[in-house]
Amino acid sequence: MKENKKRWLAACGAPSLLAMAVAAVSSPAVAEDALLEEVITIGTRVEGRSATDSSAPIDIVTGDEFVNQGDGDLNNLLRNVVPSYNVNAKPISDAASIVRPANLRGLPPDSTLVLVNGKRRHRASVIAFLGSGVSDGAQGPDISAIPAIALKQVEVLRDGAAAQYGSDAIAGVINFQLKDAAEGGTVEVKHATTAEGDGDQSMVAANFGLPLTDSGFVNFSMEYREQDSTSRSTQRDDAAQLIADGNTHVANPAQVWGQPEVDDDTKFFINSAIELNDTVELYAFGNYASRSTDGGFYFRNPETREGVFADENGNPLIGDLDPSNGIDNCQNVSVSEAHDLDECFSFTEMFPGGFTPRFGGDLEDYSMVFGLRGELANGIGYDVSASRGQNEVDFHIYNTINATMGPNTPTSFSPGGYGQTETNFNIDLTKATEISGKALYMAGGFEWREEEFEVNMGDEASWTQGPLTEQEFLIGSNGFSGFGPEVIGTFDRDNIALYTDFELEATDNLRLGTALRWEDFSDFGSTFNYKVSGHWAINDVIALRSTYSTGFRAPTPAQSNISNVTTAFADGQLENKGTIPPTNPVAVLKGGKQLQPEESKNFTIGAIIAAGDWDITLDYFQISVSDRITQSADQELSEAEKAQLVADGISGADSLTSIRFYTNDFDTKTRGIDVVATYPLGDATDLSFAANWTDTEVTKYREETISDMRLGQLEDGLPNIRGNATISHAGEGWRGLVRLNYYGSYWEAHLDDYSLPIDAGDEWTVDIEGAYDFSDSLSLIAGAENLFNNYPDKNPWSGVAGAEYPETAPMGFNGALYYVRAQYEF
């Protein structure tokens, strides 16, 4: 029971590990335990550093802090405990609903580097084409493939670190440290449901460790999860009118807004190491994960959907199934007449009430890392490692059609998929020495990395041009066209990097650091970045820290080569929009060119304060990013340009209203303040507080490529203020916590339409959890997230497409989640 109490207090942030280390500055009695518990492995290459010793702000979240929540998705769990981390539900967002984009410090997901055990994690294969503005076109990692039960702790470096770790580390670095126990384990069973009675989540998870001879360990973690869909929908106005006019085939609601269904969500992680002798250790870790996601798309109105039910003038679209005698025979035929004629065809025969496609994908993710680390006789430490990771998604879409195939169309398609493969080789060297009697820590290394992005072909029906192609019917599986033979392929890039890193103990109270990194990419050349840092302990009460660095983010092979057609909402109608490579001749005519890396300048300054029983950290940051890589504004197409894209093999290009391509397009400045504080209310009761203020300003852009809507999404699409306060208590045999969460106001262009603005207000939610220990091994836990079933402001445009609440609500829109969990430790 005492061990459970200790773990509970640490997990609830009471006191948080960060605050415990702060307390160690003025309380030597707790220094040893605190520093042992919160040793960091990122932001520095010096072993044994604590978060408060670091020159940059680092959050440390224990594995138990993730487990002690109701949700099962690691993205949501991280959002709940790190205020500068934002992720929302993606109810209708193409592939972004399969791997949801997350934002650290208001920047896109591929501006945050993700590590596991200090090694670079491969990115997901999914591109967030519909990313609510901030994440449009981003390709970040899939952290939801990591089971929470596998985590020993998570370190969130809130600072630019490209000079230390390379591309993507503009907003910061998140390092997931895996459990490394050689004995014991935990089994958990959890079930959760919403106050509406939908969205059930069921999960079984286990972790256990075993000795690997007398000098090593192997630690296993497993999780299996199922998630039901939710619906927070109202009937669309057009669907309601159809029903009022007597169409009894229209579903109610015609279009569902809610979290997608997730089936067979299976996750497995292994972590192991063995000492070969007193100075050499062999280590290996890796994962396998798979899941199937199924979500909704937009409703196809049986009277107005162009290219399926209607022509470009809004008249009924009737196909001539025997064009051998010309295609004029069915042009003046009504829908009802077409039903009675063998030669004429209307899709109202198949879908009299219209249809709403269902879209999803089957995801597989796996990785393996091997390494050898130790120390040479001359005191040089080394870590040589090799890794390979892969993320694959095979898409599926059903309850839809390839309109050009007429009555012979299937209604279920496999439109193809994406694959991302990354291979890394690293040599890291460290050496501790002295200069003029001052401790000097030196590091250097080499990295080789290769990225491959693969587009896999869909089944022929998903991209073929059927017999009705010349009669204005849309090509390809409607909603998400398949990938044909002309656009599939593998696109790769490799790079090498050299780095060096120094930390000097200038005095007993002052530490200075610098880092340099040169990196060369096969597709666009070289980049050079640096970082300087300092940490000054003024006295036992206050210490100051600061960093300044330059950074970069390299365009991914996918962003440089991807072709895609998707259906989006615009001006009250569904439109097909395409994404083409920036080097495609059509894109070049409109200003496209080879992508270059983003460049950044990062500055942080902060204070660590131990004032009485209060432990406080306060940090200010500023991130300036130039030449940000994003999707261009929509570019209108001429008929000749459409024909060229069709010839290039882009399925559905004949139906495009516009195209986009990736471009280095604009500059931003992001500023913010992070506050973390803890205070003991008693021997077993503690208060913790964390808050973040972030503001982004677009400082340079071209009016022809950045619209007012996109400006609003970039600057106001995420809440400026996020925070939470937690009170936790641990008694004899029981424990509990109450957490108050605050989500600031935000702005949404509903359906990515500037004419449908939502100025959503701030919101408060309350989380509560209680646990009872039946024995030292068995505990029963019950709790609620959003206890009082609070919802975001109503969507004033709900009748347009049926969304009852803003789709980008940072708190989500499912309401309360109630859960019960049983835990057995051995």
Side-chain angles (χ1 to χ4, degrees):
M1 292 183 184
K2 290 181 180 179
E3 182 63 29
N4 285 339
K5 183 192 297 186
K6 178 180 178 182
R7 183 169 54 256
W8 175 266
L9 288 172
C12 298
S16 71
L17 294 177
L18 182 60
M20 289 173 67
V22 176
V25 174
S26 58
S27 180
V30 301
E32 183 177 355
D33 288 342
L35 295 179
L36 282 175
E37 288 193 57
E38 60 89 50
V39 167
I40 59 173
T41 61
I42 61 172
T44 180
R45 288 185 168 86
V46 179
E47 292 186 6
R49 286 270 191 257
S50 70
T52 49
D53 285 334
S54 172
S55 299
I58 298 177
D59 293 325
I60 295 182
V61 186
T62 66
D64 285 341
E65 195 165 354
F66 288 111
V67 172
N68 291 332
Q69 298 186 58
D71 207 292
D73 188 308
L74 190 57
N75 264 310
N76 293 341
L77 302 181
L78 191 59
R79 175 194 64 191
N80 292 344
V81 296
V82 179
S84 58
Y85 188 87
N86 283 278
V87 64
N88 52 47
K90 306 299 292 183
I92 300 177
S93 301
D94 279 13
S97 61
I98 300 172
V99 178
R100 295 183 299 151
N103 311 102
L104 182 68
R105 288 181 154 186
L107 293 174
D110 46 13
S111 290
T112 299
L113 176 62
V114 172
L115 310 175
V116 174
N117 280 357
K119 304 300 180 182
R120 178 182 285 264
R121 174 82 174 164
H122 60 279
R123 69 180 80 249
S125 59
V126 162
I127 316 294
F129 291 111
L130 303 176
S132 306
V134 178
S135 301
D136 283 356
Q139 187 188 3
D142 179 17
I143 73 165
S144 61
I146 304 173
I149 200 169
L151 299 176
K152 179 180 180 181
Q153 69 178 32
V154 177
E155 302 157 315
V156 182
L157 171 62
R158 294 180 275 110
D159 187 30
Q164 297 165 289
Y165 299 106
S167 179
D168 302 351
I170 288 179
V173 182
I174 302 177
N175 182 39
F176 294 90
Q177 284 286 106
L178 301 175
K179 290 180 179 177
D180 54 7
E183 60 182 6
T186 303
V187 177
E188 295 182 347
V189 179
K190 180 165 62 177
H191 182 78
T193 189
T194 69
E196 295 291 328
D198 60 1
D200 285 9
Q201 297 184 40
S202 299
M203 188 183 78
V204 178
N207 168 268
F208 62 93
L210 296 172
L212 191 61
T213 73
D214 294 333
S215 57
F217 73 91
V218 57
N219 192 275
F220 298 93
S221 299
M222 293 150 283
E223 179 183 295
Y224 181 82
R225 177 173 168 265
E226 298 273 353
Q227 173 183 288
D228 292 344
S229 61
T230 62
S231 175
R232 301 296 179 266
S233 315
T234 60
Q235 185 60 290
R236 293 169 50 122
D237 291 343
D238 60 343
Q241 187 61 52
L242 289 169
I243 295 173
D245 292 341
N247 191 328
T248 60
H249 301 281
V250 179
N252 188 11
Q255 182 175 321
V256 174
W257 291 86
Q259 74 181 19
E261 179 180 338
V262 179
D263 293 322
D264 298 325
D265 189 0
T266 304
K267 306 168 189 176
F268 176 83
F269 244 104
I270 183 172
N271 185 30
S272 63
I274 185 171
E275 294 182 2
L276 302 181
N277 55 47
D278 292 341
T279 60
V280 181
E281 182 181 57
L282 176 68
Y283 63 90
F285 58 91
N287 84 290
Y288 174 81
S290 65
R291 65 177 180 269
S292 180
T293 304
D294 187 84
F297 260 23
Y298 290 104
F299 171 62
R300 272 61 176 168
N301 188 302
E303 295 181 355
T304 63
R305 177 54 176 142
E306 186 177 337
V308 179
F309 297 106
D311 63 20
E312 61 182 359
N313 298 315
N315 301 314
L317 184 58
I318 309 298
D320 190 332
L321 302 182
D322 183 16
S324 60
N325 57 359
I327 59 173
D328 298 331
N329 294 346
C330 297
Q331 286 188 349
N332 296 317
V333 173
S334 69
V335 170
S336 59
E337 290 172 337
H339 291 181
D340 297 325
L341 296 174
D342 292 337
E343 182 179 353
C344 301
F345 174 76
S346 167
F347 273 103
T348 55
E349 297 179 37
M350 295 179 63
F351 297 99
F355 62 94
T356 304
R358 298 286 297 180
F359 174 81
D362 297 321
L363 179 145
E364 281 193 315
D365 182 283
Y366 49 89
S367 67
M368 198 66 207
V369 179
F370 295 93
L372 194 69
R373 57 189 168 216
E375 185 174 307
L376 302 176
N378 57 7
I380 295 178
Y382 63 89
D383 185 342
V384 180
S385 64
S387 66
R388 187 173 179 86
Q390 187 164 9
N391 183 279
E392 295 181 335
V393 175
D394 292 321
F395 300 118
H396 61 254
I397 186 168
Y398 62 97
N399 198 44
T400 189
I401 56 172
N402 180 339
T404 65
M405 298 179 70
N408 297 319
T409 179
T411 58
S412 178
F413 303 86
S414 297
Y418 296 142
Q420 175 79 16
T421 304
E422 298 182 25
T423 306
N424 295 270
F425 176 75
N426 292 84
I427 300 175
D428 298 304
L429 303 173
T430 59
K431 172 71 174 178
T433 185
E434 289 188 356
I435 181 170
S436 300
K438 308 298 183 183
L440 175 66
Y441 302 93
M442 301 181 295
F446 166 83
E447 180 178 35
W448 174 84
R449 184 168 76 253
E450 182 183 60
E451 292 186 57
E452 296 179 352
F453 179 76
E454 184 176 8
V455 182
N456 299 312
M457 187 160 58
D459 61 46
E460 185 174 357
S462 70
W463 50 264
T464 191
Q465 301 181 34
L468 300 184
T469 298
E470 303 300 326
Q471 301 181 41
E472 299 187 38
F473 287 87
L474 296 180
I475 302 171
S477 44
N478 196 268
F480 194 94
S481 294
F483 307 131
E486 288 83 2
V487 300
I488 65 170
T490 300
F491 311 97
D492 59 15
R493 180 191 57 212
D494 61 80
N495 64 284
I496 59 173
L498 296 172
Y499 82 87
T500 185
D501 197 324
F502 299 91
E503 290 190 36
L504 174 67
E505 303 283 356
T507 71
D508 290 342
N509 298 323
L510 178 63
R511 182 183 310 110
L512 302 174
T514 185
L516 305 171
R517 188 180 187 95
W518 172 85
E519 201 147 348
D520 183 73
F521 290 80
S522 60
D523 52 355
F524 61 78
S526 302
T527 180
F528 178 80
N529 295 274
Y530 66 89
K531 182 174 185 175
V532 293
S533 60
H535 181 284
W536 180 29
I538 299 175
N539 51 42
D540 290 343
V541 176
I542 187 169
L544 300 179
R545 60 190 178 191
S546 183
T547 68
Y548 179 83
S549 65
T550 62
F552 74 102
R553 185 182 76 79
T556 70
Q559 291 170 333
S560 297
N561 297 282
I562 192 70
S563 297
N564 176 267
V565 174
T566 189
T567 303
F569 211 87
D571 300 324
Q573 298 292 332
L574 291 181
E575 294 183 357
N576 281 8
K577 296 184 178 183
T579 299
I580 63 176
T583 53
N584 181 286
V586 174
V588 172
L589 287 174
K590 299 178 183 300
K593 55 186 178 181
Q594 181 174 324
L595 296 176
Q596 297 297 314
E598 299 175 346
E599 296 183 350
S600 67
K601 296 179 180 178
N602 293 60
F603 171 71
T604 68
I605 186 168
I608 306 162
I609 305 167
D613 290 333
W614 280 101
D615 300 322
I616 304 168
T617 63
L618 175 67
D619 293 281
Y620 168 84
F621 65 88
Q622 179 174 295
I623 308 169
S624 298
V625 187
S626 58
D627 296 327
R628 277 183 60 166
I629 299 169
T630 186
Q631 291 173 315
S632 71
D634 294 338
Q635 308 288 315
E636 294 185 359
L637 291 171
S638 67
E639 292 301 319
E641 290 167 340
K642 291 182 183 180
Q644 177 63 50
L645 294 176
V646 171
D648 291 340
I650 299 178
S651 176
D654 63 316
S655 67
L656 294 177
T657 59
S658 61
I659 57 98
R660 297 177 292 182
F661 49 86
Y662 284 89
T663 180
N664 296 95
D665 206 34
F666 61 96
D667 302 348
T668 59
K669 180 184 291 184
T670 300
R671 299 171 297 168
I673 296 174
D674 292 302
V675 181
V676 177
T678 62
Y679 182 79
L681 299 176
D683 291 338
T685 306
D686 291 272
L687 169 68
S688 63
F689 170 82
N692 165 262
W693 168 77
T694 298
D695 178 76
T696 294
E697 176 187 3
V698 179
T699 57
K700 180 182 177 182
Y701 66 97
R702 294 180 294 158
E703 292 185 0
E704 63 269 26
T705 58
I706 296 292
S707 64
D708 289 340
M709 181 194 75
R710 187 71 191 283
L711 284 174
Q713 290 176 317
L714 289 166
E715 296 183 338
D716 302 311
L718 295 173
N720 290 116
I721 301 176
R722 281 274 319 276
N724 60 63
T726 303
I727 295 178
S728 59
H729 179 82
E732 285 298 325
W734 69 276
R735 53 199 186 275
L737 73 85
V738 178
R739 180 186 296 114
L740 180 65
N741 307 293
Y742 175 77
Y743 301 87
S745 58
Y746 61 98
W747 180 83
E748 177 183 307
H750 188 52
L751 307 175
D752 282 341
D753 191 330
Y754 193 59
S755 66
L756 304 176
I758 302 176
D759 290 304
D762 57 351
E763 299 289 346
W764 296 85
T765 64
V766 175
D767 303 335
I768 189 170
E769 181 173 284
Y772 180 76
D773 299 328
F774 290 94
S775 68
D776 289 341
S777 299
L778 180 63
S779 300
L780 182 65
I781 304 100
E785 294 181 3
N786 191 2
L787 173 66
F788 300 110
N789 198 31
N790 187 27
Y791 282 91
D793 292 344
K794 289 273 190 175
N795 174 17
W797 315 103
S798 59
V800 176
E804 189 172 1
Y805 303 101
E807 59 178 309
T808 61
M811 61 179 284
F813 50 71
N814 282 330
L817 182 72
Y818 305 120
Y819 63 93
V820 61
R821 177 166 59 95
Q823 181 185 76
Y824 181 79
E825 297 182 345
F826 57 92

